[in-house]
Every structure is written in structure tokens, then in C-alpha cells.
Amino acid sequence: MVEVTYQKLGGSSYISGDIVIPQKVFHTSRTYTVTSIGESAFENCSGLTSVTIPNSVTTIGDGAFSLCSSLESINMQCEVPIGCEPSFPDKVLKKAVLYVPTGTLSAYKKVDPWRNFRNIKEKNFSGIDAVEANGKL
């Protein structure tokens, strides 16, 4: 199991743009599954605009997204909503789009902090738009 953690570099974080947390990482000839985003992992990443969280993540630490005021979208690929306190700023809760797997919208609307997002949309994360059988959709 692997956890995404926070490392302070010279007093601030340099993570910005679009971040995709991998489901698996490879290190010293071994493959590890990413299961956690640690406490304050992305704290003060004011330039972070988008984050993709894989289905393998089962815990998100307190304050993981504290002070990430530029987040515009969160791709939450987890089929089951994770109850947590990642400290999304009010600006993010009001303006960012939270994308959740197709068929999970009602579940996300019942769990903190996800239910606090004003803009939640379902998304097919499989990369497959439709399945064709015998030449017909």
C-alpha cells in the first residue's frame, strides 16, 4: 500500500496544474497500490487546477486539499464515496466540478464532503462510451 504525502520544499508547495494520482506505482522491482492520500498532502497547492483520484484510494487525510483555491475539477473515480475531511475551500465547493462514476451520484450526495459540492456530475471513467453488439448500439 502506498500513500500520497506532503513534502514542504522551501516553505511552499510547487505542485500545480492537473495532477493524476496513479492507481499503482512501481519501485525497486515491485508494484504497489496507491490506497491513501495523506493528511495535508496537497495543502497550499494554490496552483493545483485539477486532480484525479483513482478507485484504489480508500482514505483521504484531514486537510489534504486545504488552501487549494484554484481547483476547477476533481475526478473522483472511487465507486464508493470516502467519508473524509480534506478541507476543500468554500470557493472550490461552490465553483469546481466534482466528477463521480456513472451511477454513484445519489451516494455522493449523502456523504461529506462530497455532498457540499454545488456542481456534481456523473462521468464514465472506463474510457468506453458505448458497447456495440452485432453492429447495433
Side-chain angles (χ1 to χ4, degrees):
M1 296 184 292
V2 172
E3 178 177 83
V4 176
T5 60
Y6 175 78
Q7 181 177 1
K8 201 174 218 181
L9 302 171
S12 64
S13 177
Y14 297 105
I15 297 173
S16 63
D18 301 336
I19 300 294
V20 177
I21 298 170
Q23 187 166 353
K24 299 200 180 281
V25 293
F26 187 75
H27 180 68
T28 60
S29 302
R30 293 188 62 190
T31 301
Y32 299 90
T33 301
V34 177
T35 59
S36 179
I37 298 173
E39 186 175 310
S40 303
F42 295 99
E43 180 180 36
N44 205 27
C45 292
S46 59
L48 184 62
T49 55
S50 172
V51 64
T52 299
I53 300 171
N55 195 29
S56 59
V57 170
T58 57
T59 59
I60 299 175
D62 290 351
F65 295 97
S66 177
L67 304 173
C68 292
S69 57
S70 297
L71 268 173
E72 298 170 0
S73 65
I74 298 151
N75 294 290
M76 188 65 172
Q77 297 179 342
C78 302
E79 296 287 332
V80 177
I82 300 168
C84 56
E85 292 293 332
S87 301
F88 290 108
D90 286 340
K91 177 182 174 184
V92 171
L93 294 173
K94 291 176 185 176
K95 297 189 178 204
V97 180
L98 172 64
Y99 293 100
V100 299
T102 302
T104 65
L105 182 63
S106 63
Y108 273 88
K109 286 187 173 186
K110 295 176 185 172
V111 178
D112 281 336
W114 317 111
R115 70 180 178 168
N116 298 319
F117 279 83
R118 287 198 182 157
N119 197 1
I120 306 174
K121 296 182 179 182
E122 290 186 335
K123 182 176 182 178
N124 180 354
F125 290 109
S126 71
I128 300 170
D129 293 326
V131 176
E132 190 175 308
N134 298 327
K136 297 179 181 178
L137 288 176

